[in-house]
Amino acid sequence: MATPADPTTDTTALRERAEEHLRALAGDSARLREDQWTAIHALVAEHRRALVVQRTGWGKSAVYFVATALRRAEGAGPTVIVSPLLALMRNQIAAAERAGIRAHTINSTNTTAWEQTYAEVAQGRVDVLLVSPERLNNPEFRDRVLPELAAGAGLVVIDEAHCVSDWGHDFRPDYRRIRSLLHDLPDGVPVLATTATANERVTHDVAEQLQAGAERADTLVLRGPLERESLRLGVAELPDPTARLSWLAEHLPDIAGSGIVYTLTVSAAEETARFLNEQGLKVLAYTGRTDPDERRAAEDALLDNRVKALVATSALGMGFDKPDLGFVVHLGAPQSPISYYQQVGRAGRGVDRAEVVLLPGREDVQIWEYFAGLSFPPEDTVRETLAVLAEAEKPLSVAHLETRVDLRRTRLEQMLKVLDVDGAVQRVRGGWVGTGRPWTYDTERYAQVSAAREREQRAMLDYIATDTCRMEFLRRQLDDPEATACGRCDVCTGRYWTTDVDSGRRKAAADHLDRPGTPVAPRRQWPTGMSALSVDLSGKIPENLRAGEGRALGRITDIGWGNELRRVLAEDAPDEPVDERMLQGVVRVLATWGWENRPVGVVAMPSVTRPTLVGDLAARLSSLGRLVPLGSLSYRTDNGPGPRRHNSAMRLEQVYTSLVAGPELQERVAELQASTPGPLLLVDDVVDTGWSLTVGAALLRRAGAPEVLPLTLATTGG
């Protein structure tokens, strides 16, 4: 008769093997933390679903790599890791390979390798497959590859799991697709979700979603203290962008190591990087607009300490792993203490001391409001979208939906992803279709999420002003029950960063921020599907009708001119003549334009909201530049094109059917070109979609202008 196995002996042997794998991964001195072991045991021995909420640098990736090694030794299939960022994937693959774990990735940058990867998975030659959340709803991947992966997976890991919850600070609709993946898993496949930034509400929501399709009703939640003993938190309140830039140039060289300077906008990152380089600091900009190869090179430069800092937007976020990162400085406050905690958590993982400094700006709240337009659309817009899809005879692309639903593309795509997760629509080859399933607009939940965002913004302002421990404040925002005063931050120690800046550096920063001018790229292609709006435009815009490259005084999100532009162009701002400083800025834009042929005349765009501002700007530029004032384009009706449309196709239809070059304007243009041929300036207050200026330029080109150069006060780009 066989003797029953001793569970204690089995557990001891399993832990010994787990420790061996950890040492292969992290070095001979590495030892499992108790919560790490608890999670590994739950996954490997009990095949449970677990959520680990632990601070950055705690070792969450060690849990799933060790569990992978143990599961593979048992003959289980590969681990599937849903991971949000390419930077995270690259770091994780490198870590896995050091431990002898064969890892591959499927993402948008390696499409040519997908088939080979699928074949190697089928042959059992892949231990870990990392997949971006967006890939989960790619029709081919979802229908052909995902079912096989789910059926054969030995472990499923959801990294940065707070993204699953719309209560989280970085909710991503694609992550909600994971619920369907979990529901379809065979019985007994363990699941691990990990995050460093989840409060109690998010933790509960994610744990509940992890139960989809599970035999056991409970998710194991391992939540640890969020203290980061290496971080020295501080705030330096400076009066204006000039002071903040000069502070950076003066103090970054004195902070040990290399690090990250976070900004709120793309334009701020690029502008700050240019200034710091001018001041002799070697830094690189890193944003969502940065080329992927340049991003990778920038990450490597920071990892190798070949630059002092990356000046980055939140595009450099989850998963970037540099243990000796010496500082994180924020030029402007994020909207949430939780996202702030996550970003500062990049620093000080492998060093005893790392500086964390917030340089808040008075304009931060304005920038938060500017980016606040990505909330879930109102019910009538959603219902309209569902009706359009229901009536369509074939799948509709996002471009075609834009001709029928008044949402910007990014917001439309976000809405479709949420509806897809809710089962109301489905992405298929060729676009989107309606499923016909009943769908309810959860007004109460959307309102509660919006209210939660507003509370987070108020809490961020409270963090700046707090007279108690800053680390304790952040930990309490994350509902850490062990939050206590850290004894290291500026409030605890009474040692605050100086706000004094060298007058020479301040002048250099002022001169830098005062440089006016940003390019405005011309539209080159009409939107797809304009025939659905009874507009006969398609394909490339003919060169003989195209606008030239334009200029704007600045981006509305700039940290220099942006402050003044946001004030002048605010919805409640009075319509007044352009002020002298702004006018002189535009004159300097003209002086440094570098055009091949100097303009000979000025035309104003018609404006329903700011006719005085635009008309005055055009008239004064005519006078100062000795250019012929030709008047203005006009609208067919006094009300202009009507209530502003938000997306590209509908805005073009509005402008195309309402904007005209009247007979008198056409005659003036023809007379000027006959006597003094040359380009025309086309003046407006702000360029957003670009279609008003595109159509205006085409009208003037038809009237005989050889070139039309748009000139605006602001562009919304960046």
Side-chain angles (χ1 to χ4, degrees):
M1 182 176 174
T3 304
D6 183 346
T8 304
T9 303
D10 288 349
T11 299
T12 301
L14 183 65
R15 178 156 190 167
E16 288 175 356
R17 294 199 304 274
E19 296 278 6
E20 289 174 7
H21 289 301
L22 179 69
R23 289 193 291 273
L25 182 72
D28 291 340
S29 62
R31 296 290 183 273
L32 285 172
R33 304 173 190 271
E34 283 308 309
D35 274 2
Q36 285 177 317
W37 164 241
T38 300
I40 291 168
H41 185 269
L43 296 169
V44 177
E46 301 174 348
H47 297 187
R48 290 188 67 179
R49 298 189 177 186
L51 170 60
V52 173
V53 183
Q54 298 283 359
R55 67 182 185 274
T56 302
W58 175 84
K60 296 181 288 293
S61 61
V63 172
Y64 49 74
F65 283 136
V66 170
T68 293
L70 294 170
R71 290 282 289 153
R72 291 291 279 165
E74 294 174 346
T79 292
V80 177
I81 302 178
V82 182
S83 184
L85 293 178
L86 299 184
L88 178 59
M89 290 182 179
R90 288 193 293 274
N91 288 342
Q92 288 182 325
I93 288 174
E97 289 175 347
R98 287 195 298 271
I101 296 171
R102 298 162 299 182
H104 288 257
T105 179
I106 294 176
N107 61 72
S108 58
T109 68
N110 67 350
T111 54
T112 57
W114 288 2
E115 290 300 328
Q116 179 66 27
T117 298
Y118 299 154
E120 292 187 15
V121 170
Q123 295 163 10
R125 294 163 55 193
V126 174
D127 300 315
V128 171
L129 184 66
L130 293 109
V131 181
S132 66
E134 293 76 18
R135 194 60 32 209
L136 295 177
N137 203 31
N138 173 276
E140 180 181 4
F141 183 84
R142 181 194 63 213
D143 299 335
R144 183 168 77 88
V145 180
L146 191 58
E148 293 182 20
L149 279 180
L155 170 67
V156 173
V157 177
I158 304 148
D159 216 349
E160 306 297 349
H162 60 274
C163 297
V164 171
S165 173
D166 55 4
W167 298 106
H169 70 275
D170 196 18
F171 168 60
R172 301 186 183 192
D174 289 302
Y175 255 68
R176 294 295 291 269
R177 174 60 52 191
I178 293 169
R179 187 183 180 94
S180 300
L181 167 66
L182 298 181
H183 190 275
D184 295 337
L185 285 177
D187 292 343
V189 176
V191 177
L192 172 67
T194 68
T195 180
T197 48
N199 57 20
E200 284 289 351
R201 185 167 212 165
V202 173
T203 299
H204 177 77
D205 189 26
V206 174
E208 192 175 68
Q209 293 192 51
L210 286 180
Q211 295 167 16
E215 288 182 309
R216 297 179 60 148
D218 61 318
T219 296
L220 172 66
V221 178
L222 296 169
R223 184 182 175 90
L226 301 176
E227 173 68 292
R228 292 293 307 279
E229 294 180 358
S230 62
L231 301 185
R232 274 33 178 198
L233 302 178
V235 173
E237 292 193 70
L238 295 147
D240 52 43
T242 297
R244 291 197 294 280
L245 273 193
S246 51
W247 189 98
L248 278 175
E250 191 164 329
H251 291 285
L252 281 189
D254 298 330
I255 302 177
S258 56
I260 301 171
V261 176
Y262 277 111
T263 66
L264 299 186
T265 67
V266 171
S267 57
E270 294 172 346
E271 197 168 43
T272 301
R274 281 194 296 270
F275 174 71
L276 293 178
N277 277 303
E278 289 171 5
Q279 292 297 300
L281 284 165
K282 191 171 184 181
V283 303
L284 294 170
Y286 186 108
T287 75
R289 201 157 60 195
T290 306
D291 177 83
D293 289 338
E294 291 180 15
R295 280 208 218 184
R296 189 175 297 109
E299 291 167 15
D300 290 342
L302 182 59
L303 288 169
D304 296 340
N305 294 316
R306 289 183 277 113
V307 292
K308 182 64 178 178
L310 296 187
V311 186
T313 62
S314 58
L316 182 68
M318 294 180 293
F320 182 77
D321 186 11
K322 177 177 168 60
D324 62 341
L325 199 76
F327 61 86
V328 170
V329 178
H330 278 76
L331 192 65
Q335 296 188 48
S336 159
I338 299 173
S339 59
Y340 182 66
Y341 175 87
Q342 182 190 62
Q343 289 178 347
V344 302
R346 306 270 75 77
R349 299 184 188 185
V351 293
D352 293 335
R353 180 185 181 111
E355 302 297 341
V356 173
V357 190
L358 172 60
L359 308 177
R362 295 174 183 173
E363 69 277 9
D364 293 349
V365 174
Q366 293 176 298
I367 294 175
W368 297 347
E369 291 171 351
Y370 178 76
F371 287 119
L374 291 178
S375 58
F376 198 66
E379 183 171 6
D380 57 350
T381 303
V382 184
R383 296 289 179 195
E384 180 184 10
T385 306
L386 293 174
V388 167
L389 290 172
E391 294 167 4
E393 297 179 356
K394 60 180 182 179
L396 296 180
S397 67
V398 173
H400 279 91
L401 276 170
E402 274 190 305
T403 66
R404 308 182 192 192
V405 179
D406 187 20
L407 286 176
R408 287 183 182 272
R409 178 165 297 196
T410 52
R411 201 172 176 201
L412 177 59
E413 289 173 337
Q414 289 282 92
M415 179 188 72
L416 288 168
K417 289 175 181 179
V418 172
L419 292 174
D420 187 6
V421 171
D422 290 346
V425 304
Q426 186 177 23
R427 185 181 171 198
V428 298
R429 292 175 186 269
W432 294 86
V433 296
T435 63
R437 296 176 189 168
W439 180 81
T440 301
Y441 188 91
D442 197 341
T443 304
E444 182 178 358
R445 184 177 180 89
Y446 300 141
Q448 289 175 344
V449 170
S450 179
R453 297 287 180 272
E454 292 177 6
R455 287 195 297 273
E456 288 177 353
Q457 291 180 1
R458 289 196 296 272
M460 196 67 227
L461 297 175
D462 290 342
Y463 172 82
I464 294 167
T466 188
D467 57 1
T468 61
C469 174
R470 297 194 191 277
M471 180 58 79
E472 181 179 5
F473 183 99
L474 293 178
R475 292 174 67 184
R476 290 198 184 283
Q477 287 295 310
L478 282 151
D479 299 320
D480 183 352
E482 298 182 35
T484 56
C486 71
R488 298 179 305 276
C489 70
D490 56 357
V491 176
C492 286
T493 62
R495 293 193 293 271
Y496 294 87
W497 286 93
T498 179
T499 54
D500 294 335
V501 289
D502 176 76
S503 59
R505 288 196 187 277
R506 188 176 176 90
K507 182 181 185 306
D511 290 344
H512 177 86
L513 291 177
D514 196 44
R515 293 176 195 166
T518 189
V520 175
R523 287 279 194 172
R524 299 181 181 276
Q525 188 99 10
W526 300 116
T528 303
M530 290 303 298
S531 58
L533 295 170
S534 301
V535 174
D536 186 23
L537 296 173
S538 63
K540 290 184 178 180
I541 301 173
E543 285 204 27
N544 65 330
L545 297 180
R546 194 181 297 166
E549 183 179 78
R551 292 289 187 277
L553 175 60
R555 298 185 183 97
I556 207 157
T557 54
D558 281 349
I559 55 176
W561 283 101
N563 292 323
E564 294 178 59
L565 292 170
R566 287 190 294 271
R567 173 182 57 79
V568 169
L569 301 176
E571 286 189 11
D572 57 354
D575 178 29
E576 298 176 334
V578 65
D579 67 48
E580 188 63 25
R581 171 170 154 72
M582 201 166 281
L583 175 65
Q584 291 305 315
V586 176
V587 169
R588 288 160 58 203
V589 171
L590 293 174
T592 58
W593 194 317
W595 43 53
E596 292 183 14
N597 299 297
R598 188 178 189 276
V600 296
V602 179
V603 178
M605 287 291 293
S607 176
V608 175
T609 56
R610 300 185 191 91
T612 301
L613 176 67
V614 176
D616 179 69
L617 177 60
R620 293 171 75 180
L621 290 176
S622 297
S623 175
L624 290 169
R626 297 188 296 279
L627 306 175
V628 177
L630 296 171
S632 174
L633 293 163
S634 56
Y635 291 119
R636 297 182 189 277
T637 65
D638 291 341
N639 294 328
R644 184 177 183 85
R645 298 293 192 175
H646 297 94
N647 74 36
S648 191
M650 288 188 167
R651 180 59 181 168
L652 173 57
E653 185 270 339
Q654 271 191 316
V655 176
Y656 184 77
T657 56
S658 61
L659 189 65
V660 295
E664 291 185 10
L665 175 59
Q666 293 185 47
E667 187 176 331
R668 292 192 200 105
V669 171
E671 288 177 354
L672 177 62
Q673 294 302 322
S675 62
T676 314
L680 303 182
L681 284 180
L682 181 57
V683 176
D684 205 355
D685 54 349
V686 61
V687 56
D688 184 13
T689 65
W691 289 121
S692 295
L693 290 168
T694 300
V695 173
L699 291 171
L700 294 173
R701 297 290 302 270
R702 285 196 181 100
E707 188 176 12
V708 177
L709 305 172
L711 175 65
T712 70
L713 290 178
T715 173
T716 60

